[in-house]
Structure formats: structure tokens, C-alpha cells
Amino acid sequence: MTSSPRPRPHKRRIPAVVAALVTAAALSASAPAVAKDGPPAGSDTGAADGKPTIVLVHGAFVDASSWNAVVGRLQSDGYRVMAPANPLRGLHADSAYIASVLRSVHGPIVMVGQSYGGAVITEAAAGNPNVKALVYVSAFMPDKGEVLGQLAAKFPGSELNPALVRVPFKNADGSMGTDLYISPDKFRAVAAEDLPQAATSVAAAAQRPISATAFTDKVTAAAWRTIPSWAAVATNDKAIAPDLERFQAKRAGSRTVEIDSSHSVMISHPDAITDLIRDAARAQSPKPALAETGLTTYGHVGAGAVGVMLIAGAGLMVISRKRSTRTQ
């Protein structure tokens, strides 16, 4: 994998073991997720020059601005980038919406999902022949028939569940639901410990809630079983257990990198995440076997671009504070 312009990554071969828990994203005080002069959905830009369209799907508690630092880097490379809104109303509803966005895109697609967004792309990409690669960033990566809440409990290491605030709401049909937020006083420690306090305080105050049904819906399809995948493990993740991320990546045979980061890795290490997406976009070979999977380790990098405000992630049913130890 191409190294990030800042730290020089140290490469090593080790068994990848990935998977996922909950969500995260970021807030930015500046540019929108997709530049206003970018091509509209459905245009042929990107397909004509052979480059895929990169579709970035955010996680819970935030909006598409969580991808701002990565979007700018990919656009500088000449990629067409889309960062659609993830509704956060339940896994099936969210996946159906993102799948409809994909149908507006001409030519090859690389899908990227962060945290809960990883579960969304897993369903949304299934059956779409234009999706050529999947990239998971500190993300859920469920298999068909799994439930995210149960998957999150497979490994210790997350501190998210005790930090969640549950708020009841009424649906249009009169039925009741539950929204999940991260308690503002725990937001930074759980989801963005390596980002500035001022930025995380703003992000905590501006959270978008996620419906609790996202973690009880049963996954109906696993696109990574037929589409090549790449994965980034955040080794200091306290929202999603790093060992869960490793487990899922191993199960899918993903090409994997490990990054010394909090759950908000695309904000604190945008160069490393952009490099991973570039690798997926350039790859033409079939899905790699696990034996071919190189694991790159990235050291700490300071928060991405000026004005980038951060994010966080969400998850369920992981109560243990035990920090996972990465297999060397």
C-alpha cells in the first residue's frame, strides 16, 4: 500500500482479523462533502477516463461532512466523489436508500463505509454489478443473517454502550421508536480521542441520532462475499473493538491496514484512508486470498485539514472496558 505523505508506514505480514462496530463521522466548518462544481449524480464523469466513482457513506451521529478531508484528496486525484446522506433510520431503510443512489451512477463504483456505514454498504452494494470494490473504515462488516447489536458483542474493547443516551420518539403511524445519541461528556473519549477538544465539543452538540432498529435489523445480504474488499482497523478504537474489526477483515479476506487512531480515523488520518481507497480504486485483480493480504501499520498523524471538526461512532451492547491487544 502506498504510504501516507506524513508518516512512513512500517509494513509487516500478519494475519488480518477484522470486523466492526458502530458508526462515526465528523463535522467541518468549511467545505461541503461534495464540491459544488463537482459533476451531478448520474453523469458519465469518471467512467470515460476509466476511473471509478467513489461513494462515501458516513456512520451515525453525523453527516457526510465527516468525509471532507478525504473528499478533497480524492478530487485532487481526478476521481468523481459522492458522499450521500445516510438516513440513519434503520439498516434496511438506509441500505435501500443508498442502493437507489448507486443506481444513479454510471460506470464502475468503489463504495466506502465508515462504522455503521460499513453495514449499509454491505447490503446496498449486493447485486449491483457496477460496484467493483468495498472499503471498510473502522466499520461494521456483517454477514448475511447477522444482527449488528449481537455482532458488536462478540469482542470486548468498546466503551460505547455505557455512553449511549436513549431517547424515545413517535413515528408517523403512531408507533414508538428509540433514537441513540452519545452522551456529550463522553463523546471525545469514546469516538475521537485524538482530535481537538474544541472540535469534538461542537460535534457532540450537533449529533444526528440513529434509530436503535439499525442494531436489531437482520442483515439480508453480504456484498463482500462476491466483491473484493479493503479494511482499515483503528487500533485505539473505543467505539468499535479493534479485534472485531480484525475478525471481520479476516473473514472477508480483505486487504487490511492498521492505523494508530481513534474511531474517527478518516478525520485524524485522512492520508492513510485516502491511500487505502486509492488502492481499491486502482485494483483490477480478483478478490485477494488472505495469504496475499498485506497489513500496513500507520503511526499517529495529527488531525487532518484546517477547519475539520470531528465525529464519532455508535454501537450497541459492548460494555467491557478491556482494551484489545493487537495480534502481531
Side-chain angles (χ1 to χ4, degrees):
M1 153 143 196
T2 304
S3 62
S4 174
R6 296 179 187 175
R8 302 284 300 182
H10 173 66
K11 294 188 176 181
R12 62 186 63 177
R13 293 273 183 183
I14 68 174
V17 215
V18 156
L21 182 123
V22 74
T23 79
L27 297 172
S28 171
S30 55
V34 180
K36 62 182 179 181
D37 59 347
S43 77
D44 289 319
T45 303
D49 61 7
K51 288 185 175 181
T53 297
I54 312 296
V55 178
L56 306 166
V57 180
H58 66 82
F61 309 118
V62 292
D63 59 27
S65 65
S66 58
W67 289 111
N68 279 0
V70 173
V71 168
R73 286 161 170 80
L74 291 170
Q75 288 181 331
S76 294
D77 289 344
Y79 289 103
R80 181 192 178 218
V81 184
M82 298 177 66
N86 185 354
L88 307 181
R89 295 298 83 196
L91 180 58
H92 301 323
D94 298 342
S95 298
Y97 175 76
I98 295 299
S100 71
V101 172
L102 297 181
R103 289 191 291 271
S104 75
V105 180
H106 298 295
I109 300 168
V110 171
M111 292 200 75
V112 186
Q114 201 273 338
S115 197
Y116 167 69
V120 174
I121 71 170
T122 294
E123 272 203 6
N128 188 324
N130 286 343
V131 179
K132 305 302 182 183
L134 303 169
V135 182
Y136 293 88
V137 178
S138 57
F140 269 124
M141 199 172 174
D143 201 354
K144 181 178 179 180
E146 291 182 332
V147 173
L148 298 188
Q150 296 172 358
L151 184 62
K154 285 180 70 71
F155 293 89
S158 172
E159 298 177 8
L160 181 63
N161 193 57
L164 291 176
V165 176
R166 294 162 174 82
V167 178
F169 69 88
K170 182 176 288 188
N171 291 300
D173 63 2
S175 62
M176 296 300 295
T178 301
D179 270 342
L180 302 176
Y181 297 81
I182 297 177
S183 178
D185 63 329
K186 297 177 181 178
F187 188 97
R188 183 172 185 269
V190 170
E193 202 169 27
D194 53 357
L195 291 172
Q197 179 70 59
T200 58
S201 294
V202 172
Q207 293 180 66
R208 287 183 58 207
I210 184 170
S211 172
T213 58
F215 301 97
T216 58
D217 288 339
K218 186 173 291 188
V219 177
T220 60
W224 52 260
R225 287 199 166 273
T226 56
I227 301 172
S229 60
W230 283 251
V233 174
T235 62
N236 295 320
D237 200 332
K238 293 179 182 176
I240 167 172
D243 279 343
L244 181 57
E245 296 173 19
R246 296 183 179 109
F247 161 77
Q248 288 189 166
K250 178 180 179 180
R251 177 171 70 174
S254 306
R255 293 179 182 178
T256 305
V257 298
E258 296 208 353
I259 304 173
D260 182 15
S261 174
S262 72
H263 189 61
S264 302
V265 60
M266 63 191 180
I267 306 302
S268 59
H269 295 73
D271 291 311
I273 297 305
T274 303
D275 282 346
L276 186 67
I277 296 169
R278 287 183 186 122
D279 283 354
R282 293 167 180 162
Q284 299 298 322
S285 58
K287 183 175 179 179
L290 182 60
E292 299 170 335
T293 302
L295 191 152
T296 304
T297 301
Y298 285 83
H300 175 75
V301 178
V306 176
V308 175
M309 311 284 274
L310 156 99
I311 72 170
L316 262 204
M317 309 191 175
V318 181
I319 300 175
S320 172
R321 294 180 58 90
K322 177 181 176 184
R323 179 170 296 192
S324 348
T325 300
R326 181 163 41 123
T327 303
Q328 299 295 328

